[in-house]
Amino acid sequence: MLRRKARRVREGDDPLDAAQERRVRAVLALGGVPQTDLPDGVQQVRLRLLERAAKGDEAPRDVSAWAAVVASNFAMDWHRAKRRQERVGERLASLRQLEHPSGEDTSVLSMAVAQGLDELPDQQRQVLVLRFFADLPVRSIAHELGIPEGTVKSRLHTAVRALRDRLHEDEVV
C-alpha cells in the first residue's frame, strides 16, 4: 500500500485521497483556521507530501495521521502569523495616533528613517527590520539566520546607533 501511494505521488496523482483531505480540513477547522484559508492549508499538506516524495523519502507509515499533524502545525502557524499581523497593526495605529505638529514632520521623519535604513549594511538592516518591524525576538532571529544570539545583539546595537546618529546628523530628531 505504501509503495503504491508513493508511486502515485511520483506519477503526479493527488497525494491525499478524499478521506484524508476531509480529515485535514477538519483538523484545520478545529484548529481555528477560517473557511477561506482551508484550501491553502490543504495545499500545504499536499505540498509537504510531494516534497517528501521528491526528496526520495519514504512515504509516512500512516499518511492520514501524518497529514493531520502537518495540518495542526499549519493551524498553529496561521495563528502565530495572525497575532504578528495584529501586533504590527496595533503599532502602526499607535504611531498614527502620535501627535505631530504637522504631517510634514512625519513624512520628513519617515523619509529620513528610510534613507538611514538604506545606508545600513545588509546584515545590520536585516536584523533591525526583523527585530523592530517584524517584531521577532532575538532568539528567533538568531535561529532563522543561523547565527549566535550575541551576533544578532551586536548587529542590532550597531545598526540602532548608526541610524540614531544619522537622524541626529540630519537634525530630524
Side-chain angles (χ1 to χ4, degrees), residues 21-156:
E21 183 175 336
R22 281 192 304 275
R23 184 174 186 185
V24 165
R25 284 181 176 276
V27 168
L28 291 169
L30 289 171
V33 176
Q35 285 291 116
T36 55
D37 291 338
L38 290 181
D40 288 339
V42 173
Q43 285 302 93
Q44 285 296 319
V45 173
R46 279 192 179 100
L47 178 62
R48 299 271 164 68
L49 269 171
L50 292 171
E51 287 172 343
R52 281 182 68 109
K55 286 192 275 183
D57 292 347
E58 199 172 302
R61 183 182 307 162
D62 183 351
V63 173
S64 187
W66 181 89
V69 169
V70 173
S72 176
N73 289 339
F74 177 87
M76 287 189 300
D77 290 345
W78 184 89
H79 285 288
R80 285 184 194 118
K82 182 180 176 194
R83 277 195 301 272
R84 261 194 310 274
Q85 288 174 341
E86 288 170 354
R87 283 195 306 265
V88 168
E90 289 168 2
R91 283 185 175 181
L92 290 175
S94 69
L95 287 174
R96 286 186 200 113
Q97 292 174 357
L98 291 176
E99 292 184 6
H100 292 284
S102 71
E104 185 176 315
D105 289 343
T106 304
S107 59
V108 168
L109 178 60
S110 296
M111 288 184 348
V113 169
Q115 186 174 7
L117 284 172
D118 284 342
E119 293 173 0
L120 290 174
D122 291 341
Q123 293 176 333
Q124 290 177 9
R125 181 175 48 250
Q126 182 182 36
V127 295
L128 191 76
V129 168
L130 289 173
R131 178 66 188 105
F132 296 110
F133 293 95
D135 196 32
L136 293 178
V138 170
R139 176 173 284 158
S140 296
I141 296 169
H143 177 72
E144 291 299 321
L145 298 179
I147 58 176
E149 287 183 42
T151 302
V152 172
K153 291 175 184 178
S154 172
R155 288 179 186 172
L156 275 172

Side-chain angles (χ1 to χ4, degrees), residues 112 160-173:
V160 168
R161 188 178 62 226
L163 189 57
R164 185 183 323 121
D165 291 348
R166 168 67 191 206
L167 294 176
H168 285 296
E169 181 182 303
D170 291 346
E171 296 180 357
V172 177
V173 290

